[in-house]
Amino acid sequence: MVQHDIVIIGGGPAGMAAAVAAYDNGVKDVVILDREEDLGGILRQCIHNGFGLHKLGQELTGPEYAAVYKEKVKERGIKVFYESTVTAVSPDKIVTARNREGILKIQAKAVILAMGCRERSRGALNTPGTRPAGVYSAGTAQKLMNCEGYMVGKKVVILGSGDIGLIMARRMSLEGAKVEAVCEILPYSGGLNRNIVQCLEDYGIPLYLNTTVAEIHGTKRVEGVTIAQVDANRNIIEETKRYIDCDTLLLSVGLIPENELTREAGIAISPVTSGALVDENCQTSIEGIFACGNVLQVHDLVDYVSDEAERAGIGAVSYVLGENKGSISVATKAGKGVRYVLPQTVHTDSGKDTALFLRVTEPFGKVRFTVTSGDEILATAQRLKAAPGEMEKLIIPAEKLARVKEEIVVTLDELN
Amino acid sequence: MNRDLICIICPRGCMLHVEEQNGELCVSGNACPRGKQYAIDECTNPLRTITSIVRVSNREDTMVSVKTANPIPKGKIFDAMEKIRAVSVEAPVKIGDVILNDVFGADIVATKDVE
Ligand SMILES: Cc1cc2nc3c(=O)[nH]c(=O)nc-3n(C[C@H](O)[C@H](O)[C@H](O)COP(=O)(O)OP(=O)(O)OC[C@H]3O[C@@H](n4cnc5c(N)ncnc54)[C@H](O)[C@@H]3O)c2cc1C
Ligand code: SF4
């Protein structure tokens, strides 16, 4: 069996940034495994711009952002195993992969999980009606169009108004398709304002909130869909049913971290994020196994993926070198108005300022976040607006953290 | 002129209202000056970066992604797309290679390497 110090599973933005950070912080024997023939992950198909504003200070397209990190990986001579699908990770850090040459087994000192996420499929949706051709997940359609140049349809309805749905509405319009509607079952869009303006309003595409696809029509190919409004319990309101003629339905109904390998390794998973439970160094419930990027929590900005991956890379280096990262840990908890807090545990004696990442439960106006432990307030922050689509970051100063004995709770209060 | 728009400069997303008074644009609803500038630009000369793909003629089923090197007038988006659709390139292509010159004031450049 071959041996490597740090083995990274997945060569998307998370895997690449983790590899570079690990290398630069002192462990040179780092390898990346990816099932594709190229690095970059999802960014390879995200040809639109808007990547890198925070991290690189410039607005790049997905392939350009990926190229920046590919170059860093190449410069450092980090070994990449392409077209190598990891099939198992064991608790004692043996990584098994399958590629053209057969089965590859690597004994790692530390493993970083960076497998990204996949899209929820139609099966998870329960839309009644036939199963004709012409129903795609938005990401699949994006890949077909942007990587293979295959136009998926001419008259389109999109279900789901997250950023991927919005980006695809524009992309299809640019290629001459007519996007009849974007339907969103929630009372608000999870997408960025910028995308609502530049992907829908620019092209005169209507966004229907509190609306879903009630039925899909057509036998061989999609011929139309019935859309309908939903009530507060998300039940379809019969009188509002309306038929729209179309040949294509794109589903953009959410992403799920790709955690089969994680589960099989016996790593504890959060039911809220669907990713591993981690500490502030992105270490999972198994020592020496780390997770970062979309496999840990679904990110909307690649810049934050790269940041998180750097923490995982540095965490893995500390583990390999046997450095002490702290020994006393407390749990974090999402209080009122907060859907989740990550990391789920924090070392109080790390001597470092520690960031908490969180998402709110629904859109709010002006809010204050308060981080407390027992009676002590560890941090507060005000925002003029808070939305589930935007990840928040709060920092606990090291000296306050050092005094913490009890669970850390983050709550949100609405201000007027 | 009488227009409502959402400011996209920062996540706060102020609802802006633009009205023409005595030949001047008056912006309201903005919480900061950047919102005013955005509203005026949007009403007088809206610009957009566009991104698309171009076929690589000497590689099977291969596309290269491209963008306008700088934003172009919003009203020219579809004319620009037509020009982009009409070309193909030969590999190798490097990021930043100019694929088309001066399409409504912007070069069309590659955003991906193809060997
Ligand atoms: C369709 C889509 C569109 C998006 N659009 C945007 C956008 O416009 N702007 C933005 O900022 N963010 C966008 N995102 C968010 C984007 O996913 C993240 O910014 C970023 O790409 C996540 O990086 P990652 O490395 O965690 O995952 P990924 O980019 O998904 O990379 C995961 C990598 O792991 C590999 N892999 C998975 N399982 C295995 C295995 N078992 N063995 C070997 N390799 C494996 C995959 O091949 C892939 O290369 C989008 C996401 C999706 C899904
Ligand atoms: S007006 Fe100012 S505060 Fe309001 S969204 Fe625009 S940039 Fe942000």
Side-chain angles (χ1 to χ4, degrees):
Chain A
M1 188 163 28
V2 278
Q3 305 200 347
H4 291 288
D5 286 350
I6 299 180
V7 174
I8 298 174
I9 307 172
M16 291 192 287
V20 169
Y23 188 95
D24 290 352
N25 283 276
V27 173
K28 309 290 177 206
D29 182 16
V30 182
V31 300
I32 302 175
L33 296 123
D34 201 292
R35 63 183 171 208
E36 301 291 329
E37 72 290 348
D38 197 3
L39 293 170
I42 280 292
L43 295 181
R44 298 171 64 205
Q45 68 189 60
C46 296
I47 63 164
H48 57 280
N49 63 329
F51 297 84
L53 267 174
H54 299 269
K55 186 88 186 150
L56 306 175
Q58 48 178 336
E59 193 170 5
L60 300 176
T61 63
E64 289 172 312
Y65 189 94
V68 170
Y69 280 87
K70 261 163 74 174
E71 190 54 38
K72 294 184 196 228
V73 168
K74 206 168 135 194
E75 274 166 18
R76 287 163 181 76
I78 294 169
K79 164 108 182 123
V80 183
F81 292 89
Y82 294 101
E83 294 178 85
S84 302
T85 304
V86 175
T87 53
V89 179
S90 74
D92 50 1
K93 304 184 223 11
I94 296 171
V95 175
T96 310
R98 206 183 48 231
N99 61 20
R100 246 183 241 155
E101 281 117 64
I103 304 285
L104 172 69
K105 268 188 189 291
I106 309 175
Q107 172 70 64
K109 290 184 184 158
V111 175
I112 300 178
L113 307 172
M115 293 90 76
C117 58
R118 63 187 150 75
E119 294 180 279
R120 261 180 235 279
S121 64
R122 183 171 170 205
L125 272 180
N126 264 323
T127 319
T130 49
R131 293 270 182 276
V135 183
Y136 298 91
S137 74
T140 303
Q142 189 180 45
K143 187 170 182 185
L144 287 169
M145 286 184 72
N146 295 346
C147 301
E148 286 157 43
Y150 172 77
M151 182 69 179
V152 297
K154 283 276 155 215
K155 274 183 103 173
V156 191
V157 170
I158 300 179
L159 177 60
S161 66
D163 288 316
I164 305 169
L166 301 179
I167 295 282
M168 280 309 289
R170 173 175 61 189
R171 184 75 193 108
M172 305 244 0
S173 303
L174 281 175
E175 290 296 347
K178 174 98 177 69
V179 180
E180 300 287 347
V182 175
C183 301
E184 172 59 59
I185 197 164
L186 295 174
Y188 55 87
S189 162
L192 299 170
N193 275 331
R194 172 197 164 92
N195 285 337
I196 293 180
V197 173
Q198 298 198 347
C199 299
L200 298 188
E201 289 179 6
D202 275 7
Y203 300 89
I205 300 167
L207 169 63
Y208 301 118
L209 299 174
N210 296 306
T211 300
T212 190
V213 170
E215 213 175 317
I216 302 169
H217 307 275
T219 42
K220 283 215 182 86
R221 173 87 197 189
V222 175
E223 285 165 10
V225 296
T226 299
I227 68 167
Q229 288 173 23
V230 295
D231 62 21
N233 299 319
R234 295 199 199 172
N235 292 316
I236 283 164
I237 306 171
E238 286 294 324
E239 314 84 83
T240 64
K241 278 191 173 173
R242 183 154 77 84
Y243 181 82
I244 300 182
D245 200 52
C246 63
D247 59 21
T248 304
L249 173 65
L250 296 191
L251 303 172
S252 173
V253 291
L255 303 169
I256 325 169
E258 179 112 24
N259 269 309
E260 281 65 31
L261 292 174
T262 320
R263 264 190 211 95
E264 281 164 29
I267 291 169
I269 304 266
S270 155
V272 189
T273 59
S274 303
L277 298 170
V278 290
D279 69 10
E280 75 278 11
N281 305 310
C282 300
Q283 179 163 259
T284 66
S285 62
I286 298 184
E287 267 193 31
I289 302 187
F290 297 77
C292 57
N294 277 356
V295 78
L296 178 57
Q297 58 175 334
V298 175
H299 288 263
D300 15 53
L301 281 178
V302 72
D303 307 69
Y304 296 157
V305 169
S306 303
D307 283 341
E308 185 172 272
E310 284 168 13
R311 284 197 301 282
I314 293 168
V317 167
S318 295
Y319 176 81
V320 169
L321 301 180
E323 291 165 1
N324 180 19
K325 281 281 190 176
S327 53
I328 311 165
S329 65
V330 295
T332 63
K333 190 178 142 187
K336 189 179 51 160
V338 179
R339 191 160 77 82
Y340 72 78
V341 180
L342 193 140
Q344 290 86 358
T345 61
V346 173
H347 289 102
T348 56
D349 56 344
S350 66
K352 290 220 172 75
D353 294 351
T354 298
L356 300 181
F357 298 86
L358 55 105
R359 283 185 192 274
V360 299
T361 51
E362 62 200 278
F364 292 101
K366 197 171 176 188
V367 296
R368 180 173 46 232
F369 293 104
T370 313
V371 185
T372 53
S373 172
D375 294 333
E376 186 166 17
I377 295 178
L378 306 175
T380 62
Q382 279 195 23
R383 298 284 185 271
L384 294 167
K385 213 170 208 173
E390 276 157 40
M391 199 159 77
E392 296 286 346
K393 177 179 175 181
L394 305 172
I395 305 219
I396 308 178
E399 67 277 9
K400 289 203 174 170
L401 193 58
R403 293 196 294 272
V404 166
K405 298 273 177 299
E406 294 170 54
E407 187 175 66
I408 295 172
V409 185
V410 184
T411 50
L412 169 156
D413 290 293
E414 283 183 87
L415 307 174
N416 294 313
Chain B
M1 158 117 38
N2 201 335
R3 234 181 109 183
D4 290 306
L5 59 166
I6 315 171
C7 180
I8 61 167
I9 303 297
C10 90
R12 183 165 176 187
C14 294
M15 300 297 293
L16 309 178
H17 184 73
V18 187
E19 255 181 49
E20 194 168 328
Q21 283 173 2
N22 315 323
E24 233 181 274
L25 292 179
C26 289
V27 182
S28 56
N30 55 309
C32 83
R34 289 188 300 164
K36 182 174 176 189
Q37 191 57 48
Y38 169 74
I40 292 173
D41 291 346
E42 271 297 287
C43 291
T44 53
N45 183 27
L47 298 174
R48 297 289 185 267
T49 294
I50 55 173
T51 63
S52 188
I53 49 173
V54 165
R55 194 165 285 284
V56 181
S57 52
N58 55 343
R59 296 281 181 281
E60 208 178 318
D61 291 328
T62 302
M63 312 300 294
V64 61
S65 50
V66 299
K67 69 176 181 186
T68 53
N70 47 274
I72 61 165
K74 186 177 143 186
K76 296 293 181 201
I77 291 177
F78 281 99
D79 297 329
M81 278 301 292
E82 222 164 274
K83 291 184 189 265
I84 294 171
R85 243 194 307 272
V87 292
S88 62
V89 289
E90 270 190 28
V93 186
K94 283 250 159 257
I95 288 185
D97 282 359
V98 176
I99 310 260
L100 268 177
N101 276 306
D102 190 15
V103 173
F104 305 106
D107 288 344
I108 305 296
V109 297
T111 58
K112 186 181 137 179
D113 292 336
V114 180
E115 284 172 17

